[in-house]
Amino acid sequence: MKLQSLVLATATAMMMTTAFAVPAGTWTLGAGAHGVVPKSDNGTLLNGALSVDVDDDIRPTLTGEYFIANNVGIELLAAIPFHHDITLTDAGGNQIDAKTQHLPPTLSVQYHFDNSMMPMNIKPFVGVGVNYTTFFKERIGTGDDLELDDSVGVAGHVGVDIPFAPTESFRIDARYMDIETDVKLNGNDIGSVDIDPWVYGVAFVKQF
């Protein structure tokens, strides 16, 4: 009886592990929204004459992930353009308003943990990859020509999938993106801005 119980328990555990693993060849698509929250100190321009503050923004996002091995996926994050107001402040407290839009596509390699021991079948995951951010439609209140160069940097990703159907989940996640852009005013280099945001999101994820 003990042997039979052991065999049954082992078989059950194997079935559970197989059930919770995401097999190679699986696709997932996610639709949701993410908020880009830049760090509080975004640097200075004109040799320290202007401090820089970049505000937050929330936009709809899409993700697609292909599993190249069991529980190991390659994910691409895409979004509609994020809009950011930028405040430039001099030593006397005078402010100049600027703004920009950007797209931050991010490609990550991710590992999804089997969740047989997690409550509610929650499936956590971690990832690391590369972010490419391109800026456009830059504006500055002085009417000068403002330009922000594109940025390439590392990105980290953590999150959990909470299933509510066999192939459907609710996702909560957070990313850190290394985003630094060189700034030009009327074609002249005036410094760089460190945005380095945390990106928080929720999404509906469908598995195929």
Side-chain angles (χ1 to χ4, degrees):
M1 290 296 294
K2 291 182 179 180
L3 180 58
Q4 291 177 348
S5 298
L6 179 60
V7 171
L8 180 60
T10 303
T12 301
M14 292 177 64
M15 290 174 64
M16 290 179 66
T17 301
T18 301
F20 289 127
V22 182
T26 298
W27 283 92
T28 67
L29 292 177
H34 282 76
V36 173
V37 183
K39 71 175 188 175
S40 57
D41 180 8
N42 303 126
T44 61
L45 299 174
L46 291 173
N47 295 318
L50 294 174
S51 63
V52 182
D53 180 66
V54 183
D55 79 344
D56 309 343
D57 192 33
I58 300 174
R59 296 288 161 173
T61 53
L62 293 172
T63 58
E65 185 171 10
Y66 177 74
F67 284 77
I68 58 174
N70 289 352
N71 293 334
V72 179
I74 304 293
E75 184 208 60
L76 177 64
L77 168 70
I80 68 172
F82 288 88
H83 297 236
H84 292 280
D85 291 329
I86 303 170
T87 303
L88 308 175
T89 306
D90 66 17
N94 301 302
Q95 294 183 341
I96 302 171
D97 293 329
K99 61 181 60 181
T100 188
Q101 297 184 33
H102 82 271
L103 287 171
T106 303
L107 189 67
S108 301
V109 178
Q110 304 194 143
Y111 183 79
H112 297 253
F113 295 93
D114 287 345
N115 62 346
S116 58
M117 301 300 293
M118 296 291 289
M120 298 173 57
N121 295 338
I122 291 174
K123 194 175 186 71
F125 60 88
V126 296
V128 64
V130 61
N131 165 260
Y132 174 78
T133 299
T134 181
F135 298 90
F136 54 95
K137 293 188 177 180
E138 301 97 324
R139 302 281 192 277
I140 189 168
T142 60
D144 293 293
D145 180 23
L146 178 68
E147 180 183 349
L148 304 179
D149 287 346
D150 295 349
S151 168
V152 178
V154 297
H157 191 198
V158 296
V160 293
D161 288 333
I162 306 170
F164 55 86
T167 60
E168 298 173 352
S169 299
F170 176 71
R171 174 171 292 179
I172 303 171
D173 67 341
R175 302 171 192 262
Y176 173 79
M177 297 181 181
D178 177 19
I179 301 177
E180 180 178 355
T181 176
D182 294 327
V183 182
K184 294 184 177 66
L185 190 66
N186 298 323
N188 298 311
D189 294 329
I190 61 171
S192 62
V193 173
D194 294 324
I195 301 174
D196 296 344
W198 281 95
V199 182
Y200 304 101
V202 295
F204 164 78
V205 180
K206 174 71 173 178
Q207 180 176 308
F208 300 92

Coordinates of all heavy atoms in Angstrom, one line a residue, residues 28 34 97 137:
T28 N 2.0 33.3 -26.6 CA 1.1 34.1 -25.8 C 1.0 35.5 -26.4 O 2.0 36.1 -26.9 CB 1.4 34.2 -24.3 OG1 2.6 34.9 -24.2 CG2 1.6 32.8 -23.7
H34 N 0.5 50.1 -19.4 CA 1.7 50.2 -18.5 C 1.9 51.7 -18.3 O 1.6 52.6 -19.1 CB 2.9 49.7 -19.2 CG 3.0 48.2 -19.2 ND1 2.2 47.3 -19.9 CD2 3.7 47.3 -18.4 CE1 2.5 46.1 -19.7 NE2 3.4 46.1 -18.7
D97 N 9.1 74.8 -20.0 CA 8.4 73.6 -20.3 C 8.8 73.0 -21.6 O 9.0 73.7 -22.6 CB 6.9 73.9 -20.3 CG 6.3 74.2 -19.0 OD1 6.9 73.8 -18.0 OD2 5.4 75.0 -18.9
K137 N 8.8 64.1 -31.9 CA 7.9 65.3 -31.6 C 8.3 66.0 -30.4 O 7.5 66.4 -29.5 CB 6.4 64.8 -31.5 CG 5.8 64.3 -32.8 CD 4.3 64.0 -32.6 CE 3.8 63.6 -34.0 NZ 2.3 63.3 -33.9

